[in-house]
Amino acid sequence: MSWLELLNNLESGAVRAASKNESGQWEANVEVKQGILEAFKNGTNTEFAGGFVDKHNLAPQEFSTDDGVRMVPGGSSVRRGAYVAKGTIIMPPAYVNIGAYIDEGTMVDSHALVGSCAQVGKNVHLSAAVQLGGVLEPIGASPVVVEDDAFIGAGCVIVEGVVVKKGAVLAPGVRLSATIPVYDCVNERQLDKGEPIPEYAIVIPGSRPASNEWAREQGLSMSCALIVKYRDEQSDASLLLEEVLR
């Protein structure tokens, strides 16, 4: 498949930069990421309206009413090679990068970033200033995944291939990466490194004592995330989050 065919297939949703394997684990589609990098290599810098400069073959997408996407004016952009499903709302300014996938009914709020190859499910709420990290290299690295019905609070940062499972709720300001520990206060355990945020978990920002003795003496702490509750399929994410944070 040529890089041009790949970009078209990414935009139509026919192919994705990551998918679940037979065991239900998310893994990167190496051929897709190779094709995206090939598109970059074959592009030349050109000027676009408004004074922008980018690769000539990666111009921002334009939507019509037939696409069923509501992108409110004010500085948002969806780059070539990203899939945005019908029913998606994009508030300004927001940015969706190449290889990203956004499924039906999702809200991308102001100042949100959906990074390269990030995968976002159905009916997800990405609140203001949410950052989903992107990854093109190394090509085998899995991207950030946010599954169906998740609620991601304002200012959350999710990077380094973290997976947020179906229906999970992240309070404002939660930071998730491969090195930030997550403690399940309900089941009294620490999640393994790389383990997804479980389905319907409610996660809030937390802290833990610094490991260095001098730092402990100074009363310093390090960032972590805490699972403080689990919701069921019918419970309202925003109401539960408000209750937990009181």
Side-chain angles (χ1 to χ4, degrees), residues 3-22:
W3 59 263
L4 179 57
E5 291 174 312
L6 173 65
L7 293 179
N8 291 334
N9 285 335
L10 283 168
E11 289 181 12
S12 70
V15 299
R16 297 177 63 166
S19 58
K20 284 186 177 180
N21 58 26
E22 293 181 357

Side-chain angles (χ1 to χ4, degrees), residues 101-155:
Y101 186 101
I102 300 177
D103 217 330
E104 298 175 357
T106 287
M107 160 72 83
V108 181
D109 213 336
S110 300
H111 297 283
L113 166 68
V114 182
S116 55
C117 300
Q119 306 290 294
V120 180
K122 293 181 172 68
N123 304 315
V124 171
H125 189 110
L126 301 179
S127 302
V130 165
Q131 307 288 292
L132 304 185
V135 59
L136 284 175
E137 296 181 289
I139 58 174
S142 295
V144 168
V145 176
V146 179
E147 293 189 351
D148 297 352
D149 303 313
F151 183 97
I152 312 300

